[in-house]
Amino acid sequence: EAGVAQSPRYKIIEKRQSVAFWCNPISGHATLYWYQQILGQGPKLLIQFQNNGVVDDSQLPKDRFSAERLKGVDSTLKIQPAKLEDSAVYLCASSPQLATGGTYEQYFGPGTRLTVT
Amino acid sequence: GQNIDQPTEMTATEGAIVQINCTYQTSGFNGLFWYQQHAGEAPTFLSYNVLDGLEEKGRFSSFLSRSKGYSYLLLKVLQMKDSASYLCAVTRDYKLSFGAGTTVTVRA
Protein backbone atom coordinates (compact mmCIF):
# COMPACT_ATOMS: atom_id res chain seq x y z
CA GLU A 1 0.00 0.00 0.00
CA ALA A 2 1.48 3.35 -1.02
CA GLY A 3 1.90 5.89 1.75
CA VAL A 4 1.05 9.57 1.89
CA ALA A 5 2.93 11.45 -0.82
CA GLN A 6 4.04 15.07 -0.54
CA SER A 7 5.93 17.43 -2.78
CA PRO A 8 8.19 19.23 -2.87
CA ARG A 9 10.36 17.83 -0.09
CA TYR A 10 12.28 21.08 0.35
CA LYS A 11 11.55 24.68 -0.58
CA ILE A 12 13.47 27.89 0.01
CA ILE A 13 11.74 31.20 -0.70
CA GLU A 14 12.13 34.83 0.24
CA LYS A 15 9.67 36.54 2.53
CA ARG A 16 6.60 37.95 0.81
CA GLN A 17 6.80 35.30 -1.91
CA SER A 18 4.14 32.64 -2.32
CA VAL A 19 4.51 28.87 -2.11
CA ALA A 20 2.28 25.82 -2.58
CA PHE A 21 2.54 22.30 -1.22
CA TRP A 22 0.84 19.21 -2.58
CA CYS A 23 -0.39 16.10 -0.80
CA ASN A 24 -1.78 12.80 -2.08
CA PRO A 25 -3.27 10.75 0.78
CA ILE A 26 -3.48 7.00 1.05
CA SER A 27 -6.05 5.66 -1.40
CA GLY A 28 -9.51 5.49 0.16
CA HIS A 29 -8.70 7.70 3.13
CA ALA A 30 -11.53 10.18 3.59
CA THR A 31 -9.85 12.42 6.15
CA LEU A 32 -6.85 14.61 5.36
CA TYR A 33 -4.87 16.85 7.71
CA TRP A 34 -2.25 19.55 7.27
CA TYR A 35 0.12 20.20 10.16
CA GLN A 36 2.84 22.76 10.75
CA GLN A 37 5.84 21.59 12.75
CA ILE A 38 8.28 24.24 13.88
CA LEU A 39 11.72 23.00 14.90
CA GLY A 40 11.66 21.65 18.45
CA GLN A 41 7.87 21.57 18.67
CA GLY A 42 5.15 19.03 18.07
CA PRO A 43 2.98 19.23 14.95
CA LYS A 44 0.19 21.81 15.07
CA LEU A 45 -3.02 21.11 13.15
CA LEU A 46 -3.73 23.75 10.51
CA ILE A 47 -6.72 22.29 8.72
CA GLN A 48 -8.70 19.06 8.56
CA PHE A 49 -10.79 17.84 5.63
CA GLN A 50 -13.42 15.14 5.52
CA ASN A 51 -13.71 14.24 1.83
CA ASN A 52 -13.79 17.69 0.17
CA GLY A 53 -15.32 19.54 3.14
CA VAL A 54 -13.47 21.44 5.87
CA VAL A 55 -13.99 19.96 9.35
CA ASP A 56 -11.73 22.33 11.24
CA ASP A 57 -9.57 25.28 10.18
CA SER A 58 -9.58 27.17 13.46
CA GLN A 59 -5.76 27.36 13.63
CA LEU A 60 -5.19 28.27 9.98
CA PRO A 61 -3.92 31.86 9.56
CA LYS A 62 -6.49 32.65 6.93
CA ASP A 63 -5.01 36.00 6.00
CA ARG A 64 -2.10 34.22 4.34
CA PHE A 65 -2.79 30.48 4.32
CA SER A 66 -5.32 28.65 2.18
CA ALA A 67 -6.01 25.00 1.46
CA GLU A 68 -8.29 23.05 -0.78
CA ARG A 69 -9.26 19.48 -1.52
CA LEU A 70 -11.54 19.95 -4.49
CA LYS A 71 -12.21 16.34 -5.50
CA GLY A 72 -11.85 14.80 -2.07
CA VAL A 73 -8.49 13.24 -2.87
CA ASP A 74 -5.39 15.42 -3.42
CA SER A 75 -4.93 18.60 -1.45
CA THR A 76 -2.87 21.76 -1.78
CA LEU A 77 -1.76 24.17 0.93
CA LYS A 78 -0.72 27.68 -0.10
CA ILE A 79 1.03 30.50 1.72
CA GLN A 80 0.83 33.99 0.28
CA PRO A 81 2.72 36.07 1.27
CA ALA A 82 5.21 34.07 3.33
CA LYS A 83 6.76 35.39 6.53
CA LEU A 84 9.98 34.39 8.26
CA GLU A 85 8.01 32.66 11.03
CA ASP A 86 6.45 30.32 8.46
CA SER A 87 9.74 28.41 8.28
CA ALA A 88 8.74 24.92 9.37
CA VAL A 89 8.01 21.41 8.15
CA TYR A 90 4.54 21.05 6.70
CA LEU A 91 3.17 17.57 7.26
CA CYS A 92 0.21 16.02 5.52
CA ALA A 93 -1.58 13.08 7.14
CA SER A 94 -4.58 10.96 6.29
CA SER A 95 -6.85 8.52 8.07
CA PRO A 96 -9.65 6.25 6.89
CA GLN A 97 -12.42 8.28 8.47
CA LEU A 98 -13.35 10.45 11.41
CA ALA A 99 -13.33 8.65 14.73
CA THR A 100 -16.40 6.65 15.59
CA GLY A 101 -15.07 5.56 18.95
CA GLY A 102 -12.32 3.31 17.68
CA THR A 103 -8.73 3.91 16.73
CA TYR A 104 -8.24 6.34 13.89
CA GLU A 105 -4.51 6.27 13.40
CA GLN A 106 -3.14 9.03 11.21
CA TYR A 107 -0.57 8.19 8.57
CA PHE A 108 1.93 10.94 7.91
CA GLY A 109 3.73 11.89 4.74
CA PRO A 110 7.46 12.77 4.67
CA GLY A 111 6.73 16.49 4.92
CA THR A 112 7.89 19.61 3.10
CA ARG A 113 10.65 21.57 4.78
CA LEU A 114 10.08 25.29 4.09
CA THR A 115 12.75 27.89 4.70
CA VAL A 116 11.75 31.55 4.39
CA THR A 117 14.68 33.95 4.11
CA GLY B 1 -7.62 23.89 26.78
CA GLN B 2 -5.18 21.11 26.08
CA ASN B 3 -1.87 21.60 27.90
CA ILE B 4 0.28 18.59 27.11
CA ASP B 5 3.51 18.31 29.04
CA GLN B 6 6.37 15.88 28.52
CA PRO B 7 10.08 16.09 29.34
CA THR B 8 12.27 17.69 26.71
CA GLU B 9 15.11 15.19 26.72
CA MET B 10 16.08 11.81 28.16
CA THR B 11 19.25 9.77 27.84
CA ALA B 12 19.61 6.05 28.48
CA THR B 13 22.00 3.21 27.81
CA GLU B 14 21.51 0.51 25.22
CA GLY B 15 19.63 -2.44 26.75
CA ALA B 16 18.11 -0.34 29.51
CA ILE B 17 14.51 0.80 30.10
CA VAL B 18 13.20 4.34 29.75
CA GLN B 19 9.82 5.74 30.78
CA ILE B 20 8.50 8.89 29.12
CA ASN B 21 5.74 10.63 31.05
CA CYS B 22 2.99 12.76 29.59
CA THR B 23 0.46 14.82 31.48
CA TYR B 24 -2.47 16.58 29.89
CA GLN B 25 -5.43 18.76 30.69
CA THR B 26 -8.32 18.51 28.32
CA SER B 27 -12.06 18.38 28.25
CA GLY B 28 -13.85 15.98 25.97
CA PHE B 29 -10.95 13.55 26.00
CA ASN B 30 -11.23 10.77 23.43
CA GLY B 31 -7.90 8.99 23.61
CA LEU B 32 -4.13 9.34 23.66
CA PHE B 33 -1.58 8.45 21.00
CA TRP B 34 2.16 7.97 21.13
CA TYR B 35 4.14 8.61 17.95
CA GLN B 36 7.82 8.12 17.21
CA GLN B 37 9.63 10.64 15.02
CA HIS B 38 13.19 10.17 13.83
CA ALA B 39 15.08 13.33 12.93
CA GLY B 40 13.97 14.65 9.56
CA GLU B 41 11.25 12.05 9.17
CA ALA B 42 7.48 11.90 9.61
CA PRO B 43 5.86 10.70 12.84
CA THR B 44 4.95 7.01 12.93
CA PHE B 45 2.26 5.44 15.09
CA LEU B 46 3.29 3.54 18.22
CA SER B 47 0.22 3.14 20.40
CA TYR B 48 -3.28 4.31 21.20
CA ASN B 49 -4.95 4.25 24.62
CA VAL B 50 -8.61 5.02 25.16
CA LEU B 51 -9.24 3.08 28.37
CA ASP B 52 -7.27 3.09 31.61
CA GLY B 53 -4.51 0.56 31.90
CA LEU B 54 -1.44 -0.79 30.18
CA GLU B 55 -1.19 -1.69 26.50
CA GLU B 56 1.82 -3.81 25.61
CA LYS B 57 3.23 -4.13 22.12
CA GLY B 58 6.57 -5.86 21.93
CA ARG B 59 9.30 -3.73 23.50
CA PHE B 60 6.96 -0.77 23.83
CA SER B 61 4.16 -0.34 26.37
CA SER B 62 1.82 2.56 26.99
CA PHE B 63 -0.19 3.33 30.11
CA LEU B 64 -3.14 5.66 30.61
CA SER B 65 -4.91 7.05 33.67
CA ARG B 66 -7.79 9.25 32.56
CA SER B 67 -8.65 10.40 36.07
CA LYS B 68 -5.09 11.67 36.58
CA GLY B 69 -4.61 13.03 33.07
CA TYR B 70 -1.46 10.95 32.84
CA SER B 71 0.18 8.57 30.42
CA TYR B 72 3.58 7.03 30.00
CA LEU B 73 5.43 5.24 27.23
CA LEU B 74 7.80 2.51 28.35
CA LEU B 75 10.64 1.51 26.07
CA LYS B 76 12.34 -1.74 27.07
CA VAL B 77 15.64 -3.28 25.98
CA LEU B 78 16.66 -0.04 24.31
CA GLN B 79 18.37 -0.20 20.94
CA MET B 80 20.37 2.48 19.18
CA LYS B 81 17.60 2.82 16.59
CA ASP B 82 15.23 3.92 19.35
CA SER B 83 17.01 7.29 19.43
CA ALA B 84 14.21 9.59 18.31
CA SER B 85 11.60 12.07 19.46
CA TYR B 86 8.50 10.58 21.12
CA LEU B 87 5.33 12.60 20.76
CA CYS B 88 2.36 12.37 23.10
CA ALA B 89 -0.88 13.41 21.38
CA VAL B 90 -4.34 13.84 22.87
CA THR B 91 -7.54 13.53 20.87
CA ARG B 92 -10.60 15.63 21.47
CA ASP B 93 -13.52 15.88 19.07
CA TYR B 94 -11.51 13.87 16.51
CA LYS B 95 -8.68 16.42 16.53
CA LEU B 96 -5.16 15.59 17.55
CA SER B 97 -3.09 17.92 19.73
CA PHE B 98 0.58 17.09 20.13
CA GLY B 99 3.01 17.74 22.92
CA ALA B 100 6.42 19.17 22.06
CA GLY B 101 8.00 15.73 22.13
CA THR B 102 10.70 14.03 24.20
CA THR B 103 14.05 13.46 22.53
CA VAL B 104 15.48 10.12 23.65
CA THR B 105 19.17 9.49 23.10
CA VAL B 106 20.40 5.93 23.44
CA ARG B 107 24.09 5.55 24.25
CA ALA B 108 26.20 2.46 23.72
Side-chain angles (χ1 to χ4, degrees), chain A residues 37 56 99 103-106 109, chain B residues 35 37 42 45 48 91 94-95:
Chain A
Q37 186 173 24
D56 180 30
T103 304
Y104 55 109
E105 174 189 346
Q106 294 184 23
Chain B
Y35 279 82
Q37 187 175 29
F45 169 81
Y48 177 62
T91 63
Y94 315 132
K95 293 183 293 187

Side-chain angles (χ1 to χ4, degrees), chain A:
Chain A
E1 175 183 78
V4 177
Q6 291 188 247
S7 67
R9 292 296 310 278
Y10 305 92
K11 189 74 176 178
I12 301 174
I13 62 173
E14 295 181 350
K15 59 183 179 184
R16 291 187 289 273
Q17 287 187 322
S18 62
V19 65
F21 313 127
W22 173 81
C23 172
N24 188 356
I26 292 173
S27 177
H29 279 194
T31 311
L32 185 147
Y33 313 79
W34 283 103
Y35 290 89
Q36 179 193 60
Q37 186 173 24
I38 293 171
L39 187 64
Q41 299 181 18
K44 183 183 83 170
L45 179 67
L46 293 175
I47 189 168
Q48 177 179 341
F49 292 95
Q50 176 73 3
N51 296 309
N52 61 348
V54 176
V55 174
D56 180 30
D57 63 357
S58 58
Q59 297 192 94
L60 187 74
K62 298 180 186 63
D63 58 331
R64 299 185 299 107
F65 286 63
S66 64
E68 60 183 14
R69 192 185 185 200
L70 293 176
K71 297 184 178 179
V73 181
D74 293 8
S75 177
T76 56
L77 175 69
K78 297 179 182 179
I79 308 175
Q80 181 180 8
K83 293 185 176 181
L84 296 177
E85 58 260 37
D86 298 332
S87 293
V89 175
Y90 290 84
L91 294 164
C92 179
S94 69
S95 62
Q97 59 185 9
L98 285 176
T100 55
T103 304
Y104 55 109
E105 174 189 346
Q106 294 184 23
Y107 299 80
F108 285 83
T112 297
R113 184 175 298 277
L114 174 68
T115 302
V116 182
T117 63

Side-chain angles (χ1 to χ4, degrees), chain B residues 29-44:
Chain B
F29 175 83
N30 294 134
L32 187 144
F33 283 87
W34 284 95
Y35 279 82
Q36 180 191 59
Q37 187 175 29
H38 285 100
E41 298 183 10
T44 54

